[in-house]
Every structure is written in C-alpha cells, then in structure tokens.
Amino acid sequence: MFSARIKDVDMVFETAPSNFSPNSIDNGTLAMLSVIDFLPDDKVLDLGCGYGVVGILAGKLIGEENVIMCDVSEQAIEYAKINLRINDVPDIRIKLSDGYQNIEEKDFTLILSNPPYHTDFSVAKHFIEVGFKKLVLGGKLIMVTKRLDWYKNKLTSVFGGVRVHEINGYYVFVAEKRNQAVKKKEKATNNLSKKLQRKQQRYKVSRKK
C-alpha cells in the first residue's frame, strides 16, 4: 500500500507486485493528469484503469456518478474495487471490459488512457477508433505513451488533429472530437479556393496574351 497526492487530493492505493507500477504512480500517468482539468459537467471513462488512480482522482474531483472505470484484467478490477472503498468513492461504476467491449455509453466528455504501448498497435487502434464514437462533440481522448509518430498520425487521421505535450520523456496526446460537418465544409471551401485560384491564374495568363 502507498499514498499519493495529486491535484491537492490525498489518496491511498492497495496493490500487488503483478500490478502495473505497484509501488508508486507511474510517471506517464502523472504526465497525463498534469494536462487535465476536470470540470463539474464532465463524464469520464478511465480506459484501462489498472488499480484505479485516474478514475478515483476524477471521482473525488467531479463526483462518483460521473466516472466509469474499466480494465481487461480481473486482478486490476479486484484491486480497483478495493481502492474505491479505501478512498471513499465506492459508487464509481467499474467494469471488466476488453477495451470498449462492455462500455455501452456514448456520451463521454473525457476518455483517459495509458495504453500498453510496448505491444503492437492493435489495442491502441481500437482505443482511438472506437473512442471517437464514444465521445460527445467537443469531448477529448487523452492518451500517454512513449511513442510519438504512430499515435500522432493515427489520432490526426481519426480526429482531424491532435495536440502533443512532451513531459518527462512521455508524450501526452489530446484529441478533440469536432463537428464533422464543419470539417467537411472547411475542406470544400479550401478546395473551392484552390479552383478559383487556378481559374484566376489562367485568366491572368490569357490577358497577358
């Protein structure tokens, strides 16, 4: 068991040696949390919650009813439930789920994840592509990894853009779900501008002749 203080919130965590980062909160998670401002009207998914750091912090800041936690590991879920009770947020909903498999909600404002980036990209691909569909307009998917290029390219292709923060050797990605109709309109406007530019150029050339 160890204690931690994040965003002026004191927490205590029970863990096991086989849990991810069992003796302290890992630096990647701390980097991710450093760029997040939890707001009262947020609805948060702690995706791959481990023993519960992110979800418990969110629950203490914005209310247990506004947080869902999930993990594919039964052991992680077991310890997360213990930590919910220890930290007085027992009503946070927690689900055993392989990614979004058992997550029915589609109205999250924040999806937060420290994915297993030492494996292939299939898990991250699922987290990003399905995560886009699980967010409300204006909602954000925030991920932390030690890899830059693949995540930056993938998030940009799905969300249309991404902000990257480099913190203590980690990359924190913040991708916002924007209105697709607006993006299509912008793209159409840009294409029209290029056509007009070419037309004007041809006109200028013909005048010179």
Side-chain angles (χ1 to χ4, degrees), residues 6-7 26-38 45-48 53-55 57 111-115 141-145 165 167-168 170-174:
I6 307 174
K7 296 185 183 293
D26 76 286
N27 289 329
T29 297
L30 291 174
M32 179 176 69
L33 290 171
S34 73
V35 307
I36 299 169
D37 291 318
F38 293 101
L45 175 62
D46 181 2
L47 179 63
V53 174
V54 173
L57 176 64
I111 297 176
L112 311 176
S113 184
N114 185 347
L141 173 62
I142 303 178
M143 309 179 81
V144 59
T145 81
H165 305 267
I167 303 171
N168 296 329
Y170 289 86
Y171 298 102
V172 181
F173 303 89
V174 181

Side-chain angles (χ1 to χ4, degrees), residues 36-169:
I36 299 169
D37 291 318
F38 293 101
L39 303 176
D41 58 350
D42 275 331
K43 181 172 181 178
V44 175
L45 175 62
D46 181 2
L47 179 63
C49 64
Y51 51 79
V53 174
V54 173
I56 288 171
L57 176 64
K60 282 186 162 292
L61 290 172
I62 64 173
E64 300 164 76
E65 69 280 4
N66 297 315
V67 180
I68 296 176
M69 299 162 58
C70 70
D71 203 287
V72 69
S73 164
E74 292 185 4
Q75 178 175 279
I77 293 294
E78 176 186 343
Y79 278 91
K81 287 180 177 178
I82 292 171
N83 289 323
L84 293 182
R85 295 193 296 271
I86 293 174
N87 290 280
D88 298 319
V89 283
D91 294 329
I92 291 178
R93 287 168 288 171
I94 186 165
K95 301 182 180 184
L96 181 67
S97 181
D98 185 357
Y100 301 97
Q101 187 176 40
N102 295 325
I103 306 299
E104 299 175 356
E105 292 82 359
K106 297 181 180 179
D107 59 346
F108 294 105
T109 62
L110 289 174
I111 297 176
L112 311 176
S113 184
N114 185 347
Y117 49 83
H118 295 300
T119 61
D120 64 43
F121 294 110
S122 61
V123 173
K125 183 174 181 288
H126 168 71
F127 281 13
I128 293 168
E129 291 179 350
V130 181
F132 181 86
K133 301 173 184 177
K134 295 289 187 179
L135 290 166
V136 298
L137 282 177
K140 296 174 182 176
L141 173 62
I142 303 178
M143 309 179 81
V144 59
T145 81
K146 279 197 168 184
R147 297 182 177 184
L148 175 62
D149 292 340
W150 186 91
Y151 284 88
K152 183 178 180 180
N153 292 336
K154 183 63 178 178
L155 285 162
T156 299
S157 70
V158 173
F159 283 82
V162 63
R163 284 182 287 125
V164 184
H165 305 267
E166 187 173 357
I167 303 171
N168 296 329

